[in-house]
Amino acid sequence: MSCFSSNIRRNLTYPLRTLLPLRRFYSLANVVENGTRLDADEKLESSIHPTAFVHPDAIIGKSVSIGPFCTVGASVKLGNACFLHPGSHVFGETELGDRCILMPGAVVGDDLPGHTSIGNNNVIGHHAVIGVKCQDLKYKSGDECFLVIGNNNEIREHASIHRSSKPTEKTVIGDNNFIMGSCHIAHDCKIGNNNIFANNTLLAGHVVVEDYTHTAGATVVHQFCNIGSFSFIGGGSVVSQDVPKYVMVSGERAKLHGLNLEGLRRRGFSDAEIRSLRTAYRKIFMMSDSKSEGGIVDRLAGVNEEFGNMPAVLSLVQSIRDSFSEERRGICKF
């Protein structure tokens, strides 16, 4: 027998069954107590495959299923009804909420100082790597680093999301995001809610993405950029400056290409709001009379005064103004 096979056999003869007992699911059908059907969490006990390594100090919720050749570390907390498919692993000080699913090959957490926290109803795809050490040369060995992920996110195959680069920061992912295959979210990024990142979207460190944004495939975003809510980034774009709210950008060095009209309609913006945003966009970015247009600061002031009763326009103006603050990178070319 090969050395590799011998090591596996030796590891499997370690008292795995003494770490957590192997329990089989009870039948879901016709389970009644005092005339009342039991809640799913009450019907099922945890099921742990005998080849899985679950540390005795790990905290395992109700109705958890841990498949063959999985690893659950000493400081891990698994919420109720989590499902670890074969060959998935959870390391370090990592907490998964209820009903999280790890597909085969997924790796969550790292045996480093710090913490990875993942909320409820998240799916971690095949061979995704979540909550490991950042790729930042400023990271100092021994520093605590953090990742916080909200609820109802789908993170697809081969995606990678890294912890923060220093103890005073966190990498943060909100709720209801769809992060497609081979996406990368680097250290200290702040991602809001309801975003869609198509395949191979790459976010460098310290990028801020607000809500309801959509990137097409192979999008690259420079570090410290800000992507405004309800914006759209075309496929193959390289974003090196901020993207204001509500707009579309694309290009090898991304430029503004008008409003994200279809996205706004899908998200329930009224006809009146869209008409006002279109007028404001033209006044800010498409003035043809060079004598009357003035600088962008003047144009923003004029639009702000004209549309003072339209919150969507005021939000657009503020998004642009914020991008010209000292610590920001300005907006994409127009």
Side-chain angles (χ1 to χ4, degrees), residues 179-209:
I179 301 169
M180 298 187 195
S182 301
C183 288
H184 174 65
I185 299 175
H187 58 89
D188 308 301
C189 285
K190 304 292 187 293
I191 311 300
N193 305 316
N194 302 290
N195 297 291
I196 299 174
F197 299 153
N199 299 71
N200 294 291
T201 292
L202 309 177
L203 306 184
H206 304 278
V207 167
V208 176
V209 180

Side-chain angles (χ1 to χ4, degrees), residues 52-218:
F53 181 86
V54 179
H55 196 280
D57 293 335
I59 299 175
I60 309 298
K62 300 177 182 178
S63 308
V64 171
S65 176
I66 301 176
F69 303 106
C70 292
T71 307
V72 178
S75 301
V76 171
K77 297 180 181 179
L78 300 181
N80 297 329
C82 287
F83 196 118
L84 275 61
H85 283 267
S88 57
H89 309 280
V90 189
F91 299 116
E93 191 174 339
T94 298
E95 182 174 355
L96 272 65
D98 296 340
R99 297 174 299 279
C100 288
I101 299 174
L102 272 60
M103 301 304 290
V107 176
V108 178
D110 203 338
D111 288 316
L112 294 169
H115 189 265
T116 296
S117 176
I118 298 178
N120 302 325
N121 302 310
N122 293 288
V123 178
I124 312 297
H126 299 74
H127 302 283
V129 179
I130 311 298
V132 298
K133 185 177 79 171
C134 67
Q135 299 174 149
D136 187 351
L137 295 177
K138 297 189 296 296
Y139 170 76
K140 297 178 181 178
S141 180
D143 277 356
E144 291 187 317
C145 46
F146 304 95
L147 168 65
V148 178
I149 297 178
N151 304 314
N152 307 311
N153 297 287
E154 184 171 0
I155 302 169
R156 292 298 299 269
E157 59 273 10
H158 299 285
S160 56
I161 303 175
H162 290 174
R163 289 194 200 178
S164 61
S165 60
K166 51 188 178 181
T168 56
E169 292 283 352
K170 291 180 181 179
T171 304
V172 178
I173 313 291
D175 302 331
N176 304 305
N177 296 290
F178 186 17
I179 301 169
M180 298 187 195
S182 301
C183 288
H184 174 65
I185 299 175
H187 58 89
D188 308 301
C189 285
K190 304 292 187 293
I191 311 300
N193 305 316
N194 302 290
N195 297 291
I196 299 174
F197 299 153
N199 299 71
N200 294 291
T201 292
L202 309 177
L203 306 184
H206 304 278
V207 167
V208 176
V209 180
E210 297 179 3
D211 302 326
Y212 292 101
T213 70
H214 189 172
T215 71

Side-chain angles (χ1 to χ4, degrees), residues 133-311:
K133 185 177 79 171
C134 67
Q135 299 174 149
D136 187 351
L137 295 177
K138 297 189 296 296
Y139 170 76
K140 297 178 181 178
S141 180
D143 277 356
E144 291 187 317
C145 46
F146 304 95
L147 168 65
V148 178
I149 297 178
N151 304 314
N152 307 311
N153 297 287
E154 184 171 0
I155 302 169
R156 292 298 299 269
E157 59 273 10
H158 299 285
S160 56
I161 303 175
H162 290 174
R163 289 194 200 178
S164 61
S165 60
K166 51 188 178 181
T168 56
E169 292 283 352
K170 291 180 181 179
T171 304
V172 178
I173 313 291
D175 302 331
N176 304 305
N177 296 290
F178 186 17
I179 301 169
M180 298 187 195
S182 301
C183 288
H184 174 65
I185 299 175
H187 58 89
D188 308 301
C189 285
K190 304 292 187 293
I191 311 300
N193 305 316
N194 302 290
N195 297 291
I196 299 174
F197 299 153
N199 299 71
N200 294 291
T201 292
L202 309 177
L203 306 184
H206 304 278
V207 167
V208 176
V209 180
E210 297 179 3
D211 302 326
Y212 292 101
T213 70
H214 189 172
T215 71
T219 294
V220 178
V221 182
H222 192 281
Q223 59 189 15
F224 293 101
C225 283
N226 188 292
I227 311 300
S229 297
F230 304 99
S231 59
F232 178 84
I233 302 176
S237 297
V238 178
V239 178
S240 56
Q241 292 178 287
D242 288 358
V243 177
K245 288 184 175 181
Y246 311 129
V247 304
M248 295 191 301
V249 302
S250 66
E252 190 276 330
R253 281 297 182 268
K255 298 180 181 180
L256 272 68
H257 287 271
L259 291 171
N260 180 22
L261 296 175
E262 186 60 31
L264 295 177
R265 293 189 185 102
R266 290 178 179 178
R267 295 302 175 189
F269 282 71
S270 68
D271 290 342
E273 288 176 309
I274 292 174
R275 283 196 302 270
S276 297
L277 284 169
R278 293 182 74 170
T279 302
Y281 183 92
R282 292 191 187 102
K283 288 179 178 291
I284 297 169
F285 298 117
M286 301 173 65
M287 293 291 288
S288 58
D289 184 354
S290 60
K291 294 182 180 179
S292 63
E293 66 180 61
I296 191 167
V297 174
D298 297 328
R299 300 198 295 275
L300 289 171
V303 167
N304 201 68
E305 183 176 350
E306 182 178 351
F307 294 94
N309 62 342
M310 187 60 70

Side-chain angles (χ1 to χ4, degrees), residues 24-73:
R24 299 190 180 278
F25 287 145
Y26 294 136
S27 172
L28 287 176
N30 302 319
V31 181
V32 178
E33 183 176 276
N34 297 325
T36 304
R37 290 184 63 86
L38 297 179
D39 180 83
D41 285 345
E42 296 175 285
K43 295 175 195 174
L44 301 177
E45 294 188 54
S46 293
S47 173
I48 301 173
H49 194 275
T51 62
F53 181 86
V54 179
H55 196 280
D57 293 335
I59 299 175
I60 309 298
K62 300 177 182 178
S63 308
V64 171
S65 176
I66 301 176
F69 303 106
C70 292
T71 307
V72 178

